[in-house]
Structures are given as structure tokens and as C-alpha cells.
Amino acid sequence: MDSRSPVLIAAAHGSREARAQTETHRLLAHVRVLRPALRVETAFFDIHRPTVDEAVAALHGVPAVVVPLLLGSGFHFSVDLPALLGPARAARPLAPHPLVVEALAHRLQEAESHAGFPADAVVLAAAGSRRPGGDDSCHAAARDLAAALCARRGAPVPVRPAVLCDGSADGRSLARTAADLRAEGRTRVAALPYLMASGRFSDRLAEEAGRAGCVIIARPLGAQEAMARLVLARFDACAGPAAVETGLGDRVARWDVPGVSDTAGRR
């Protein structure tokens, strides 16, 4: 491997729960299997080390692309990441992307198989963001998953976004969303986590979904091949030939996200 080849730094939420860290490491193990020649490092936004800036500094000038293991452009992406990049480039968040929809459909199918019957409606539950627009990717994923399920099943399956975090800038609670679906005559409502890994939010989701009468509860996205392929797709889009020609260390990537400077993170 060329020592000057871009390194993929996967930046994850920190979690005090070992299971969340385990899922992150399992996801990156999938990435390494798919691209054995690529150097893949792990970094965190909080709680654990190395932090993103520490991981970048440890490369001693070797080009790096930071792929945020995030499903939206919330606080970590729009505020924390630009301040930590240094000379590295940053890829876009994982969502929205068709591979996220593929991964969500897989988790739903897995849960339906375990339950023994298909869902007739889905609540797609995200942690929720207090930043305006922070939940946009969940809303987009809900629309895209509904279209995919309708195409596969030949009948509409409503997919409604919901949030778990009180005070979200936009979004409805899981309980209210499930109640609305039941009022529409849906009797087999599934709760599908719009979450990267297991932890306190997935635990809260399972508890709220049970109280709300959801009869199918799926697992978070976690470590599956579609998500590993997505990490590589985000890396490739940022570290492609055009990026290499202009110099990976010269500037950060264009963000194309409202409210985030295209030159954020420049030292």
C-alpha cells in the first residue's frame, strides 16, 4: 500500500456502552474485507479516543478522508467536525443514500421474519435533532423506504418518521406516530430504528415501541454489508481522482450543506 494513499478515518459517536463500540468495529471490519488494501482507522467525536483531530495528527501528513458515521447533518457534522479536520478532507454524512434504504429494508425484513408476519405500516424512529433541518435525512429515508416497499410488495406501506428526543426541532414522537397509524386502521405496525448502533436510544425505542403497540421491533442499522459499501462510497466520492489532482491536504471538501462553510476546518 502506498504510504501516501488516502487513509479512511471513520468518525463515530462515542458511547459508554461496549455494544455500540463493538458494532462500530464490526462495521469497519466489513469495510476492510471489502477493501483490503485500504488503511482504515477509527476515531470518535466524544467520550473515547482517539478523537478525530488526534487521528488526523497521528498520520503525520499522510492524506486522510474523514467519513462521519452519521445519518444526518446535526451538531457533530456541522459544528464538531469542521473544527477537528485539520488538513484532512471530510466526506458527507452517510444519509441520505439508496444504500441506507437497502439497509433499512434488510433490518425490517429480518424483524418481520422473526415476528412471522409482515408489517402493514412502519415508524422510522430517529434520535432527533434540535437543529432545524437536522431530521431531514430521516424524513427522506421514510419517503424512499415507503416507495421501495410499495414497489416490492405491490401495495402501499406507509412509513412515517418519528423522533425519540424531546425538544426536537421538527418531528413527532414514536407513540403519537404509531397511534396515528393505528387510527388509520393499521394493525401490524413496525418500529424501525434510524440509528447506527445499539445503545440508550435503541433501548428507549424498544420500550416506547412496546408501549405504543408496535408488534414488530427491528434492530439498528449496525454492521451489515450495505452500510460498509456506503462507507466506501462516501470515501471514494471524496478521495476520487479529481480530489487527488487538486491535493487532498490543500482544502476540505465542499460540504453542500446549508449553514456549513465550504472552508470550515481550514487551518
Side-chain angles (χ1 to χ4, degrees):
M1 179 178 64
D2 182 356
S3 61
R4 300 299 298 180
S5 297
V7 174
L8 190 164
I9 298 177
H13 281 288
S15 174
R16 292 183 174 85
E17 300 189 49
R19 53 185 168 154
Q21 298 175 58
T22 297
E23 286 187 33
T24 297
H25 290 306
R26 286 181 57 215
L27 172 60
L28 298 184
H30 277 284
V31 172
R32 294 184 179 99
V33 169
L34 292 173
R35 191 80 59 85
L38 177 64
R39 180 177 172 183
V40 179
E41 301 289 347
T42 309
F44 298 93
F45 288 105
D46 49 22
I47 300 177
H48 302 298
R49 302 183 74 176
T51 57
V52 174
D53 54 337
E54 290 173 338
V56 172
L59 296 178
H60 302 293
V62 174
V65 172
V66 178
V67 178
L69 303 183
L70 305 172
L71 294 173
S73 54
F75 189 86
H76 278 318
F77 178 77
S78 58
V79 177
D80 286 343
L81 184 55
L84 298 171
L85 276 177
R89 294 174 63 86
R92 295 180 61 80
L94 298 181
H97 195 281
L99 284 169
V100 171
V101 178
E102 180 180 327
L104 289 169
H106 174 75
R107 286 294 186 235
L108 176 61
Q109 184 177 34
E110 178 183 76
E112 290 174 327
S113 178
H114 184 265
F117 50 83
D120 63 3
V122 177
V123 179
L124 184 63
S129 173
R130 292 181 173 87
R131 296 178 65 84
D135 297 320
D136 286 354
S137 71
C138 181
H139 288 253
R143 291 192 299 269
D144 293 343
L145 180 60
L149 292 177
C150 184
R152 294 179 187 185
R153 302 184 183 188
V157 180
V159 180
R160 305 278 171 79
V163 296
L164 299 166
C165 204
D166 297 332
S168 174
D170 46 18
R172 297 164 71 82
S173 70
L174 187 157
R176 177 71 179 274
T177 304
D180 289 346
L181 288 166
R182 289 200 311 276
E184 295 171 16
R186 304 290 172 171
T187 59
R188 302 187 306 275
V189 179
L192 179 60
Y194 192 65
L195 303 169
M196 283 296 297
S198 300
R200 63 188 179 93
F201 280 117
S202 64
D203 289 346
R204 179 172 174 178
L205 182 150
E207 293 171 2
E208 291 190 13
R211 290 195 299 266
C214 296
V215 294
I216 298 172
I217 302 175
R219 295 193 293 157
L221 288 161
Q224 51 176 307
E225 185 173 329
M227 295 304 292
R229 285 160 48 208
L230 176 53
V231 171
L232 287 170
R234 289 305 195 210
F235 171 82
D236 290 340
C238 194
V244 173
E245 289 172 6
T246 57
L248 280 168
D250 294 339
R251 58 182 176 81
V252 298
R254 286 189 62 85
W255 297 86
D256 296 322
V257 174
V260 181
S261 170
D262 291 336
T263 58
R266 181 182 291 170
R267 298 289 184 179

